[in-house]
Amino acid sequence: MNTDFHPSTNATSAVDGQLAMAVLNGQDLGIIVLDARLRIRCWNKWLAEWSGIDAGDVCGRSFDTLFASLVGSDFAQAIDYALFQNRFTCWTQQVDPDRLDQIESIMAGAHREMPLHRVTFTPIELPEMGDCCLVQIAEAPYDPIAVKDRKVQAPEPLVANQGQFPAYLESSRIPLLLLDNQYLILEANKALQTLFGYSLEQLRQKPIRVLLPEISTDLGADLNVALENIASDDGVSVVEGATASGENLRLLVDCFRSVANSNQYVLSFQDITLQSVNLEALFHQRKLLSTVFSQVIDGILMIDKHGVVEHINRIAMELLGVNDSRPNLYIDDLMELTDEGGDIVASPCLAALARGREVSVAENTLLKVSGQQPIQVVATATPLRNRVNEITGAVLVFRSVSEARRISTKLTWQATHDPLTQLGNRRYLENEILRSIDAAHLDDSTHTLLYIDLYNFSVVNDSCGHNAGDELLCQFARMLEKQAGPKDVVARIGNDEFAMLLNNHSVDESRELAEQLLWQIKQFSFPWGERRLKVGASIGAKVIDRSTTSEIDVLVAAGTSCVSAKDSGRNRIHFQYRSVEVAERQSVAQWIPIISEALEEDRFVLYCQPIVPVVNNGPHGQGHFEILVRMVDRDGNIVPPGKFIPAAEHYGLVEDIDRWVLDKIFAYLQQHPDSGHRFAVNLSGNTVCDEDLKDYIIDQFDSTGVDPQRLQFEVTETAAIRHFDRAMSLINALKDKGCFFSLDDFGSGLSSLGYLKELPVDYLKIDGSFIRNMELNDVDYSMVSTINHLGHIMGIATVAECVENPTQLSMLQEIGIDYAQGYLIAKPMPLADLV
């Protein structure tokens, strides 16, 4: 047998370890030992044969990974009770047949002929392993002929004058022998001849002592009396037999007077040699259990079916204040239980005997011990049954709910919780994610982890002090708990990072809950002195389904998703879900060959849209256009950029499109040197990062002779800040040549005044999302006014995008915006149509 036990290196301990393994292998029941991490440390030979899984293949492995179908089941809960609550559990065929059938079906494939009889879960503490769970699995014993109170009817009329058995007894599988009144053998059927290895000719007229050497057969003595002289205490005649080869047999013998001839005897035999070996194994098993129970930190006592205590372990002796492990006292005389009011509590042992099932006491039960203060205990009694399912007694497992236990519980809590917010910590969250993964595998459910990263928290700490920061975290934690459902888990996993595990929610439900949570975060604030403190958050989400395998992968994916949310702006959500992502990737991927073919076949076209001054005396009133790109499909239809640009950005094709646009605009300007128009060309974030872009554009100016002042380059706020060094290098180099620059979509991304002061741009293009609703939304109007004021202070002209109605234009004039662009001014038109 392979086990994960590690006996010490000295010879004596090694021998002891080998002996222990040999004893475990010799048991007629399955034995599993699991440590606190649910690793299998022992898997004996019986279990290997029963399950079909060799010990060498399982020792050291996690029980959960070996039998995933048992995760979350009563079996797993019973193991947890033993490991973490020191609770003994016993299931029997009489009371828990469904549980035993499930265990047999999963662990042994339900291919065994004999059903399970009993499964027990016992908490034990072992050297070098600590707290462990001992699982014992026993099959129902096979006993075709009852051992006790079995009376075989006398053979039907024998042919006395011939001294032979009838044909049906001759063919009986029960060994039968016919003796005369002098105990000489007259007849033996085939079953008996096979049992002893003698032929009928060898046995006839031989005394019974040939087969049963212990029998004293003085003439005149009744054979039944002779058998009774060697009978066991319970009246069963267990006799030593001798075979023709000299082997010893253990036999049960029944003796009857022949019906046909009262001077003859009929003996029936049952070979119990193997059962005797099993009894010896049972003896060793009891020794093993005695050793195991001596290590358990709970009190254990056993009573017979009359309520008399037969045995108690060391811990029970200490709790009950007795010195005898076999007190032979009635259970109520030995153990007095009361409730908090002093009223007597009925013994759970006697209740278990009467009801035939497990019985536990209430949580407020007290144990009264002479000369001591009553102590609070928890106790569970389980009935014991014999092979024919008769109740033979009960076992009681009880323990003191002591201060040490409360301290242990407190330490466990502290190891898995954040002391400031009282929420679970990262370790706690990982365990809960594992539970969600297991549930997803079992019932195909979905769960979602929300990864919440606060911003402005460091500002609160720096400006108001750490006390304010701590209070903010506590208030924020309480807000998250209010938003969480009864099955959801909230945890603090970093300094300013939180998580919420949404259990048993569909993907759509989780999205909606995430949106509701973000709305609550936007509304969240609390007073501190004369100020009101407020934070925002970025939320990343990762869906857990049956394809999820690791809690670490879930945390990493949710964290990455949170970074994506942060990159897209503040108070944003990024939802990461496998099936959604796959569908999106497939949808986007369809554009790869289309874009590539359009580039190879030159099937793109340039459009332009005018940028005009809001007031007539604007400094750049005429000839100012933004260059836009469109694709032309094979049927000649125009494909808008929103269809293909996201795919081009995702798969790295947007740089090729930008180069195509630059080539075409340089060619156009070279062909129209006297047009006087200035064109604004968009550069993607990927293109800005291109190390060769700067030299490429400068070479184009040198080779075409185009006036640099006729080109303006637009970089989005997000791209400029994310790739700040590259953007600065490009802007400075091209401005030195005489080009203009604008910061596009300002106000929607990761804007920072510190960065804006460093970027030498000429225009701020206010994001169209603020313009579209400014006549209806005071906040949008204020944002536009604030950005305009900020730009003018810094000497930067402002451009309003997406102007669609006269009211918006009038408000922009009132604010003092410099330029406007949108459908109200003019829709995009082909560059080739520009006069």
Side-chain angles (χ1 to χ4, degrees):
M1 178 188 71
N2 294 319
T3 69
D4 201 25
F5 285 119
H6 299 287
S8 57
T9 56
N10 66 71
T12 301
S13 295
V15 171
D16 289 344
Q18 294 173 1
L19 178 60
M21 287 185 258
V23 170
L24 292 174
N25 265 341
Q27 303 309 303
D28 194 25
L29 76 166
I31 295 176
I32 310 172
V33 175
L34 302 171
D35 64 16
R37 296 174 61 186
L38 295 184
R39 292 181 304 175
I40 298 172
R41 309 302 293 271
C42 175
W43 184 273
N44 75 337
K45 183 178 179 181
W46 186 97
L47 203 64
E49 295 174 351
W50 178 74
S51 66
I53 304 174
D54 187 71
D57 297 331
V58 299
C59 285
R61 289 182 57 183
S62 170
F63 189 85
D64 286 352
T65 60
L66 187 64
F67 298 106
S69 299
L70 289 175
V71 173
S73 67
D74 291 345
F75 192 96
Q77 188 177 47
I79 293 174
D80 288 344
Y81 284 156
L83 286 173
F84 307 116
Q85 298 185 20
N86 292 295
R87 176 174 170 181
F88 172 82
T89 303
C90 178
W91 297 337
T92 63
Q93 183 62 236
Q94 178 72 9
V95 180
D96 310 283
D98 293 339
R99 285 170 167 168
L100 299 192
D101 289 347
Q102 181 193 30
I103 294 170
E104 183 180 10
S105 175
I106 294 173
M107 296 183 66
H111 66 274
R112 305 284 293 187
E113 294 183 0
M114 302 305 298
L116 288 185
H117 176 59
R118 181 189 297 266
V119 177
T120 61
F121 306 81
T122 307
I124 61 174
E125 184 176 355
L126 296 175
E128 301 183 18
M129 296 187 199
D131 292 335
C132 295
C133 173
L134 171 68
V135 182
Q136 297 180 89
I137 301 174
E139 277 186 338
Y142 177 68
D143 189 9
I145 301 179
V147 174
K148 188 175 181 180
D149 298 329
R150 174 179 52 82
K151 295 297 181 182
V152 177
Q153 293 297 322
E156 290 298 326
L158 302 172
V159 182
N161 57 350
Q162 296 181 359
Q164 294 180 342
F165 290 125
Y168 71 91
L169 289 179
E170 175 64 29
S171 62
S172 172
R173 294 184 179 181
I174 300 175
L176 297 173
L177 193 65
L178 181 64
L179 304 178
D180 64 16
N181 60 358
Q182 295 182 354
Y183 315 129
L184 298 178
I185 299 172
L186 299 176
E187 185 71 26
N189 69 350
K190 292 187 181 300
L192 186 131
Q193 295 173 42
T194 301
L195 175 63
F196 286 95
Y198 289 103
S199 67
L200 180 58
E201 288 72 19
Q202 292 173 312
L203 291 176
R204 273 181 176 163
Q205 296 303 311
K206 298 296 191 297
I208 187 62
R209 291 193 305 272
V210 173
L211 302 181
L212 306 177
E214 290 184 328
I215 297 294
S216 175
T217 55
D218 296 332
L219 291 178
D222 189 282
L223 185 57
N224 280 300
V225 175
L227 291 172
E228 289 173 2
N229 289 336
I230 58 173
S232 59
D233 292 339
D234 58 2
V236 178
S237 300
V238 180
V239 180
E240 291 286 345
T243 67
S245 60
E247 295 179 358
N248 291 328
L249 299 176
R250 297 277 288 173
L251 304 169
L252 289 177
V253 183
D254 280 309
C255 178
F256 310 93
R257 286 284 183 176
S258 170
V259 175
N261 190 335
S262 60
N263 291 322
Q264 294 177 352
Y265 295 91
V266 177
L267 274 64
S268 67
F269 297 85
Q270 181 187 352
D271 182 9
I272 63 167
T273 307
L274 182 59
Q275 293 183 24
S276 298
V277 173
N278 290 340
L279 289 174
E280 187 69 18
L282 180 61
F283 172 75
H284 288 294
Q285 175 189 339
R286 287 176 176 173
K287 289 183 65 177
L288 173 64
L289 291 178
S290 177
T291 303
V292 170
F293 288 163
S294 68
Q295 300 295 323
V296 175
I297 62 173
D298 288 346
I300 300 178
L301 62 81
M302 300 180 67
I303 66 170
D304 64 16
K305 62 182 179 180
H306 304 295
V308 176
V309 180
E310 294 180 326
H311 179 76
I312 59 178
N313 71 343
R314 179 179 54 82
I315 300 299
M317 291 167 60
E318 294 177 2
L319 292 173
L320 296 172
V322 297
N323 298 320
D324 187 1
S325 63
R326 299 180 180 274
N328 198 32
L329 294 173
Y330 191 64
I331 181 63
D332 281 348
D333 295 333
L334 179 67
M335 188 175 192
E336 182 179 353
L337 300 174
T338 67
D339 60 19
E340 291 180 331
D343 295 330
I344 298 295
V345 172
S347 170
C349 293
L350 299 179
L353 291 175
R355 303 174 190 175
R357 60 180 176 84
E358 182 181 283
V359 176
S360 299
V361 300
E363 292 184 356
N364 62 347
T365 301
L366 300 177
L367 172 63
K368 294 185 67 176
V369 179
S370 178
Q372 299 180 21
Q373 289 292 327
I375 58 174
Q376 187 174 352
V377 295
V378 292
T380 299
T382 304
L384 301 177
R385 299 175 184 269
N386 61 14
R387 66 177 64 188
V388 293
N389 210 31
E390 297 172 339
I391 295 178
T392 59
V395 60
L396 178 71
V397 180
F398 64 105
R399 66 179 181 275
S400 167
V401 186
S402 62
E403 181 65 22
R405 176 68 65 187
R406 287 192 290 271
I407 293 174
S408 175
T409 302
K410 182 178 180 181
L411 291 175
T412 301
W413 187 92
Q414 290 175 345
T416 57
H417 286 75
D418 171 45
L420 176 64
T421 63
Q422 309 295 297
L423 297 178
N425 59 17
R426 181 179 289 268
R427 177 182 174 186
Y428 178 83
L429 179 65
E430 288 175 355
N431 290 332
E432 292 300 318
I433 294 174
L434 278 173
R435 293 178 185 272
S436 298
I437 293 174
D438 292 340
H441 289 177
L442 284 172
D443 54 23
D444 202 21
S445 56
T446 56
H447 320 268
T448 301
L449 177 66
L450 302 183
Y451 196 111
I452 306 163
D453 186 10
L454 303 183
Y455 62 80
N456 282 349
F457 174 69
S458 59
V459 175
V460 172
N461 257 344
D462 296 341
S463 60
C464 301
H466 291 289
N467 289 338
D470 289 348
E471 182 61 24
L472 185 150
L473 293 175
C474 292
Q475 295 280 353
F476 189 80
R478 301 292 81 76
M479 185 272 292
L480 291 180
E481 287 181 318
K482 289 181 180 178
Q483 298 304 308
K487 296 182 179 179
D488 301 336
V489 177
V490 181
R492 181 189 178 197
I493 56 177
N495 185 42
D496 55 357
E497 296 172 329
F498 293 80
M500 182 181 291
L501 180 59
L502 305 176
N503 282 314
N504 293 314
H505 292 285
S506 68
V507 177
D508 291 338
E509 290 172 344
S510 295
R511 287 180 185 273
E512 183 177 347
L513 290 171
E515 293 288 352
Q516 293 176 3
L517 176 62
L518 184 60
W519 186 86
Q520 290 292 338
I521 293 174
K522 290 179 181 179
Q523 307 303 313
F524 169 76
S525 64
F526 76 98
W528 185 262
E530 298 179 355
R531 304 179 58 180
R532 193 161 193 89
L533 303 183
K534 184 176 180 63
V535 292
S538 302
I539 301 178
K542 177 67 176 78
V543 174
I544 300 169
D545 58 17
R546 68 183 311 162
S547 67
T548 309
T549 57
S550 167
E551 76 280 11
I552 302 302
D553 291 345
V554 172
L555 276 167
V556 170
T560 303
S561 182
C562 184
V563 171
S564 298
K566 190 185 302 183
D567 288 345
S568 65
R570 295 185 173 184
N571 288 326
R572 301 291 178 92
I573 299 173
H574 185 267
F575 218 94
Q576 185 169 340
Y577 181 42
R578 175 183 54 81
S579 61
V580 175
E581 292 163 356
V582 170
E584 291 176 347
R585 285 199 299 270
Q586 291 175 343
S587 176
V588 171
Q590 294 174 356
W591 284 97
I592 299 175
I594 299 174
I595 296 172
S596 299
E597 291 172 1
L599 285 169
E600 292 174 0
E601 299 170 8
D602 202 31
R603 285 191 287 104
F604 286 93
V605 63
L606 294 181
Y607 273 55
C608 62
Q609 186 178 29
I611 301 171
V612 302
V614 172
V615 293
N616 292 332
N617 60 349
H620 300 289
Q622 300 297 325
H624 192 187
F625 298 88
E626 179 179 0
I627 294 297
L628 308 169
V629 65
R630 303 287 189 266
M631 181 191 292
V632 182
D633 64 19
R634 292 187 180 277
D635 297 327
N637 300 314
I638 298 296
V639 181
K643 293 284 189 179
F644 62 87
I645 290 296
E649 290 178 338
H650 187 80
Y651 289 100
L653 296 175
V654 71
E655 298 97 316
D656 296 331
I657 297 175
D658 285 351
R659 288 292 181 102
W660 185 93
V661 171
L662 288 171
D663 288 342
K664 295 301 181 182
I665 197 64
F666 270 108
Y668 179 89
L669 290 173
Q670 189 177 21
Q671 295 169 6
H672 303 84
D674 300 325
S675 66
H677 299 313
R678 179 192 300 169
F679 296 100
V681 179
N682 289 281
L683 299 177
S684 68
N686 292 351
T687 302
V688 170
C689 287
D690 188 347
E691 296 179 354
D692 299 328
L693 178 66
K694 178 175 60 178
D695 294 337
Y696 164 78
I697 295 176
I698 292 175
D699 288 344
Q700 285 282 15
F701 280 123
D702 294 341
S703 61
T704 61
V706 170
D707 181 3
Q709 291 195 359
R710 298 185 65 187
L711 273 178
Q712 172 182 323
F713 295 98
E714 293 191 0
V715 181
T716 64
E717 173 196 4
T718 301
I721 294 175
R722 186 180 300 169
H723 313 293
F724 184 75
D725 293 339
R726 292 280 174 83
M728 282 292 295
S729 176
L730 179 67
I731 293 173
N732 288 329
L734 296 184
K735 283 187 69 69
D736 288 344
K737 291 287 291 185
C739 299
F740 296 90
F741 267 86
S742 61
L743 200 57
D744 198 10
D745 297 337
F746 189 82
S748 66
L750 304 170
S751 56
S752 168
L753 298 182
Y755 283 120
L756 186 59
K757 289 194 300 182
E758 299 294 330
L759 291 169
V761 297
D762 304 287
Y763 300 92
L764 284 182
K765 297 192 74 173
I766 303 172
D767 186 78
S769 62
F770 298 120
I771 308 300
R772 289 190 185 95
N773 298 312
M774 62 181 298
E775 73 272 28
L776 304 174
N777 190 308
D778 291 341
V779 174
D780 288 344
Y781 178 88
S782 298
M783 287 294 294
V784 174
S785 176
T786 299
I787 293 172
N788 178 71
H789 181 65
L790 175 65
H792 288 173
I793 290 176
M794 302 180 69
I796 303 174
T798 54
V799 181
E801 299 179 293
C802 303
V803 180
E804 298 175 351
N805 59 60
T807 303
Q808 293 171 353
L809 182 61
S810 174
M811 296 177 75
L812 294 173
Q813 291 172 339
E814 178 184 338
I815 291 173
I817 297 294
D818 297 313
Y819 296 94
Q821 176 184 359
Y823 280 15
L824 178 68
I825 310 301
K827 293 184 178 181
M829 61 180 177
L831 180 61
D833 296 344
L834 184 63
V835 179

